[in-house]
Structures are given as C-alpha cells and as structure tokens.
Amino acid sequence: MYTTLLAIGIFLIIYALIITEKWNRAVVALLGASIMVLAGIVDVHQVFTHYIEWNTIALLIGMMILVTITNTTGVFQWLAIKTAKSVKGNPIHLLIMLSLLTAFASALLDNVTTVLLIVPITFSITRILKVNPVPYLISEVIASNIGGTATLIGDPPNIMIGAANKHLTFNSFLIHLGPIAAIILVVTLIMLYFIYRNKLMVSEEDKQQLVNLDENESIENIPLMKKSLFVLGLTIVGFTLHSILHVEASVIAFAGASLLLLIGLNEHQIEKTFASVEWTTIFFFAGLFTLVGGLQEVGVIKQIAKYVLDITNGDLSLAAIFILWISGIASATIDNIPFVATMIPLIQEMAASLGMAVNAPQINTLWWSLALGACLGGNGTILGASANVIVASIASKEGKGFSYMEFLKIGAPITLVSLIIANIYLFIRYL
Amino acid sequence: MLTYQFDPTIVQMEERSNNEEIEIQIKLLQSEPYAKHMKQVKDFFDRNEIYTEALFYFCKNNEYRIIVRPDYYVDLILMLMRHRLLQKVEWKY
C-alpha cells in the first residue's frame, strides 16, 4: 500500500510540474523516472526492456533526421512560396492553402517538426503582404493537429499507440483515421474561412510584391534535395508496406535516415545533423514511459481500467465514447503525450480484464477513440499539444504573440465540432 | 548614425525606414560572386532562433528586398560589409 501511494504521489507531482512548464519537461520527467527507480518501485532492467517504448523513440529520431536534412535543401520554403504565389496573395485563400499544406505535411511528419518548418515561412509571407500573422499561425497549428490524426507517424499520440500495438499498422491508421481526419479538416477550413474572411486585407501592391518572389532561390542544394525527396518517398512507401514486410515502422524510419546520412552528407554535416535531433522530446518520452511503468508496476493502471469498465458496465461501445471525450477534454487541458502514455496500458488492462486480445476489433475501436480524442483535443487550448505551445512561444518571442483566450476562441469551437464529428464517425462505423 | 557606401558598378541600394523596421532594396549588377554572397548573408540570419530580425526576399533579376528590425540593422550592415556588398561602413555623429 505504501509503495502504491508513493508511486501515485511521485506521478502526480511530476505530472503537475510538467503542466506548469516552469522547468524543462524532459528534465522533470527524467527526475521522476529516477525517483521511481531509486524508490524501488520499478526495476531498472524492467524499465529498459519493458517500459521504455523503443519503437516510439526510434521512429521519432529517424523522422527528425530525415526532416532536418531535407529542410536544409530549402524545399519546404520553395513549396510554401509556390503555394502562396498560386493564390496570388489573396489573404484568405493563402490561409486555407497554408493550412492545407500544414495538414498534409503533418500527416507525413510529426506536428512539431511541421510547424517549425512552416512558421518561419509564414512570418516571411505575411510580412511581405503586411497582414497579421496570428490568424495564419493559429490556423496552421489547428490544421497540423488534424492532419497528424490521419497517420501512424503524424502525431506523437499515434506514434505511441502504433508502437504499443504491433497490429495497428501504418495502413490501419490511414484507413481508419484518414477519412475522418479529411472530413474534419474540410469542416475546420470552412469554419476558419468564415472566422477570418473579413479580417484579412491586402493591397494590390503588396500582392504584387509576393508574386515577384523567386521561389527557385530558396533551393540551396539540388543534388541533396533530389536524394532527400527520394529517400523520404522511399520511407513513406516503406511505411505503407511495413506490415507486409514484417518490419516495424521505427526500423523503416531508421533505415531511411541512415541511407540519407550515408548518401547525402559528409562527416561534418552528419555530426551537425545528429546534434539537431530534438533530444528534449526524446528524453521526455523515455522519462514518461518509466513514470507510467511505475504506476503499472504497483497495479494502479489495472485499478483505473477496472473502474472505467465498472462505470460503463463493461459496455465497450460506451467505453469508446467515454474514452473519446475524456481524451479530448484531457488533451485540451494538458499535453496529450503524458495523457496517452497513461491511457495505453489502461486500455491494455481493459482488454485483459474482459478476457479479450488487444487486437480484437472491439478493442481496436478503443484505440481509434483514444487517437481521435488525444489528437483532436490538442486543438482545444494553447496548452493542448506540443505544437501549440511551441508556436505560441515563438510568436510571442517575435512580438506577434497571441493570448490563451485568443486561441481558445478559435480552437475550442473547432475542437467541439471535431469531437462531435468523430463521435458520429465512431458510432456509424464501429458501434 | 551608421553610414555606408557601396560600389555602384556592383550593387544598387535603396533604404526606407519607419519606427518599426528598415527596408533595403538591393539590385546586384554583377551576379558573380555577389549573388552567392547575398545567400551567405541570409544564411547567417537563418542560423539563429529569431525569425523576424531580418527577412530576406529573393526576386528575379538579382533583386533583393530585406526587411530588418532596427535592433538588428547594424548586424545586417556589418554582414553586408563582411561579404563585400558594401565598400565602407562608418559611424557619423
């Protein structure tokens, strides 16, 4: 009993410290993990062999390396300028197109990476048009969270769910979450259109300035760009085939990254690329997995799973809807990564309590509910997802900040509509 | 006040400013090696974590537009000097 209370205490304190964002979240998570081990709640061997989800970590590192190298070629800037020129500087069409571009990129790359690529270009394009960048930044973050919902590699919650469930392949995510993400994106873009269409004005002279830009000047290194796009394409094809090849998505990502490092970079550039991996995110994940492992070790997750089954009377349809809305609300208020890290073993325990396999169709519905709730809920508030926090802090640093309320006014209604659509989808397709 | 001079056979420059920012229009009359130097100036500002200190717009026919914040104006001028797009830089009081 003492160990259980200690584990819960450590978990809650660390969770609270992460939410306050006063200290580096990776350091806080690693501190919590260390305390869990030092207190004897979880064995270090178990941590490394059982609790840390290496597939999640390897997939993230592999994709970070691939994107870092591709970004140095200037291809993303080229694409953004080309997109902006295609709408001839019309501000509301530009907002829709940049949001679409972000959503599409987010489906193939993780959200944080995508917004880090699109935000600098957004500042540049909106400045030349003399238009407020905030509506664009907010729309891009929202589109990024919706686009990321569509695939296994699009959003950290999906990466975690996919890594914990070998049977949920890249194609499963695409088939089950792709269509609903596309519908929600269309509805969201319509909402954004009506919210912003009368608030964005650009003079003809400034539109002409944009049209005069030469996007080809963005391309820095054509041979490397060709290699990067080839390897990135090959990696994505690999993701779609990973279940047929019986290879983990993380291995595909690592193989792609290794190939591009080998054929595209020299020794010095390789060192720089390794240094540019977002190690904070990686260590944050490792710490969280250990923290949640501590809770699993003392049986807390099992108890919560039983409680959820009790209040839903063991009805998995009700449990799916419950998980969707709880995940949506929780993810809107706290970062969805620690929440999903806690929910994964909980759903596994629910399956075990009902004597069902984790890959049973009924249990799969719970996984899709969790993915939809966690990813879409991230749009609820500025704190809902890592991408939101990062964009808000960059915008503030550049003197173009937006408040919690400013984001909430746009994000909350969109999240509510998204969750209602997701609820209807789950009901029609699975329940 | 920081003043500068450029070689009119290599580059044409025009500057406009308001309280919030300074805009510099540049036209290179000799592409080689100065177009490459312009990219090096841009790369310098791309490397840090501030996105709006100096925004570079590359247009056709070796024309460039740079919008720089007043607090980074001196850094920009010094970088242009370093890459020989300017001939002389001087403080005048």
Side-chain angles (χ1 to χ4, degrees):
Chain A
M1 188 63 187
Y2 167 76
T3 314
T4 306
L5 287 176
L6 185 62
I8 295 171
I10 295 167
F11 183 83
L12 291 178
I13 290 167
I14 296 297
Y15 217 98
L17 289 177
I18 290 170
I19 293 168
T20 61
E21 293 181 354
K22 279 197 170 181
W23 295 279
N24 182 294
R25 60 181 188 164
V27 176
V28 173
L30 285 176
L31 177 73
S34 307
I35 297 170
M36 283 279 189
V37 174
L38 289 170
I41 295 164
V42 61
D43 174 59
V44 71
H45 184 254
Q46 280 281 84
V47 168
F48 286 116
T49 56
H50 186 62
Y51 291 122
I52 293 184
E53 185 49 76
W54 293 106
N55 277 319
T56 303
I57 287 176
L59 182 56
L60 282 167
I61 294 175
M63 290 309 289
M64 282 173 189
I65 291 172
L66 275 174
V67 174
T68 301
I69 299 172
T70 309
N71 189 35
T72 60
T73 67
V75 68
F76 295 115
Q77 288 90 327
W78 180 89
L79 197 59
I81 295 173
K82 194 86 180 159
T83 304
K85 284 176 76 173
S86 74
V87 295
K88 296 183 174 60
N90 179 309
I92 189 66
H93 292 170
L94 178 66
L95 183 136
I96 301 295
M97 288 303 285
L98 286 180
S99 303
L100 263 175
L101 180 67
T102 310
F104 183 71
S106 275
L108 302 176
L109 316 171
D110 88 272
N111 292 358
V112 172
T113 309
T114 307
V115 295
L116 284 176
L117 293 175
I118 201 82
V119 163
I121 310 167
T122 303
F123 279 126
S124 180
I125 292 173
T126 53
R127 174 57 197 82
I128 203 168
L129 290 173
K130 296 195 182 87
V131 66
N132 182 6
V134 170
Y136 294 85
L137 298 176
I138 292 177
S139 304
E140 285 162 4
V141 166
I142 289 172
S144 142
N145 288 325
I146 296 171
T149 310
T151 66
L152 184 152
I153 54 169
D155 207 354
N158 287 6
I159 295 175
M160 294 161 80
I161 294 167
N165 295 280
K166 307 277 177 276
H167 67 288
L168 298 181
T169 62
F170 184 87
N171 291 345
S172 312
F173 273 87
L174 201 59
I175 291 164
H176 290 272
L177 300 183
I180 187 62
I183 292 168
I184 291 170
L185 181 65
V186 170
V187 173
T188 301
L189 292 178
I190 293 170
M191 289 174 76
L192 289 170
Y193 177 84
F194 283 105
I195 292 168
Y196 288 123
R197 68 179 171 154
N198 294 325
K199 293 180 183 163
L200 303 169
M201 300 294 164
V202 174
S203 73
E204 286 304 318
E205 187 193 344
D206 291 328
K207 284 181 189 172
Q208 194 53 46
Q209 297 277 7
L210 178 80
V211 175
N212 288 343
L213 293 182
D214 185 1
E215 65 274 16
N216 295 329
E217 286 287 342
S218 307
I219 302 294
E220 299 278 343
N221 184 337
I222 292 174
L224 181 60
M225 183 189 74
K226 287 179 181 169
K227 288 175 190 170
S228 301
L229 292 178
F230 170 72
V231 175
L232 204 56
L234 201 64
T235 307
I236 289 162
V237 171
F239 285 140
T240 63
L241 299 175
H242 80 99
S243 56
I244 300 166
L245 300 171
H246 301 290
V247 177
E248 300 285 347
S250 57
V251 178
I252 302 277
F254 242 69
S258 310
L259 177 64
L260 189 53
L261 285 166
L262 189 70
I263 64 172
L265 303 186
N266 61 33
E267 190 62 30
H268 174 65
Q269 291 167 322
I270 290 172
E271 295 280 344
K272 265 177 74 179
T273 305
F274 280 140
S276 68
V277 169
E278 292 164 45
W279 293 109
T280 305
T281 307
I282 303 301
F283 285 121
F284 179 54
F285 272 92
L288 274 177
F289 286 132
T290 310
L291 274 171
V292 176
L295 286 189
Q296 281 179 266
E297 200 69 17
V298 296
V300 171
I301 298 288
K302 199 178 225 173
Q303 287 302 319
I304 300 172
K306 275 188 183 154
Y307 176 72
V308 173
L309 285 174
D310 283 346
I311 58 171
T312 55
N313 290 323
D315 180 347
L316 283 179
S317 302
L318 205 58
I321 301 300
F322 182 78
I323 288 171
L324 172 76
W325 285 95
I326 288 290
S327 307
I329 294 164
S331 294
T333 44
I334 56 170
D335 193 322
N336 52 18
I337 296 171
F339 178 77
V340 172
T342 318
M343 286 298 287
I344 287 171
L346 194 141
I347 293 179
Q348 287 166 339
E349 282 296 341
M350 283 172 73
S353 302
L354 291 166
M356 298 170 91
V358 282
N359 61 356
Q362 298 94 319
I363 301 300
N364 283 349
T365 308
L366 301 186
W367 294 120
W368 303 137
S369 300
L370 176 62
L372 285 167
C375 295
L376 299 173
N379 276 334
T381 69
I382 216 166
L383 301 174
S386 308
N388 311 10
V389 177
I390 285 170
V391 171
S393 84
I394 292 173
S396 166
K397 206 169 66 183
E398 302 291 338
K400 310 284 180 193
F402 47 90
S403 66
Y404 183 93
M405 287 309 291
E406 205 173 338
F407 186 91
L408 188 78
K409 274 188 222 163
I410 310 293
I414 286 175
T415 303
L416 185 65
V417 171
S418 305
L419 288 173
I420 290 170
I421 296 171
N423 193 336
I424 295 168
Y425 173 76
L426 285 173
F427 189 77
I428 292 172
R429 185 155 179 188
Y430 305 106
L431 305 177
Chain B
M1 190 179 118
L2 188 65
T3 62
Y4 56 82
Q5 280 178 17
F6 52 84
D7 181 346
T9 63
I10 295 173
V11 63
Q12 287 177 355
M13 284 176 75
E14 209 175 291
E15 189 177 308
R16 277 182 292 183
S17 67
N18 58 40
N19 288 337
E20 287 180 10
E21 60 201 16
I22 299 130
E23 184 177 327
I24 303 173
Q25 305 260 12
I26 298 176
K27 181 168 174 61
L28 295 181
L29 303 174
Q30 290 180 27
S31 182
E32 289 294 332
Y34 298 102
K36 196 177 164 193
H37 290 189
M38 274 303 297
K39 280 203 169 181
Q40 287 168 336
V41 174
K42 178 180 181 289
D43 286 346
F44 173 81
F45 288 96
D46 281 349
R47 273 202 294 270
N48 66 19
E49 288 188 352
I50 307 162
Y51 298 124
T52 55
E53 84 282 42
L55 297 168
F56 287 75
Y57 301 97
F58 286 38
C59 305
K60 291 196 167 73
N61 305 320
N62 287 324
E63 289 183 9
Y64 305 87
R65 192 174 161 202
I66 306 171
I67 299 173
V68 61
R69 282 184 355 207
D71 47 340
Y72 283 89
Y73 176 74
V74 173
D75 299 65
L76 175 68
I77 296 301
L78 292 179
M79 282 310 290
L80 291 170
M81 178 73 185
R82 181 179 167 180
H83 290 283
R84 298 178 187 276
L85 291 148
L86 296 177
Q87 267 188 330
K88 186 179 173 186
V89 177
E90 187 183 6
W91 287 108
K92 278 193 178 164
Y93 298 98

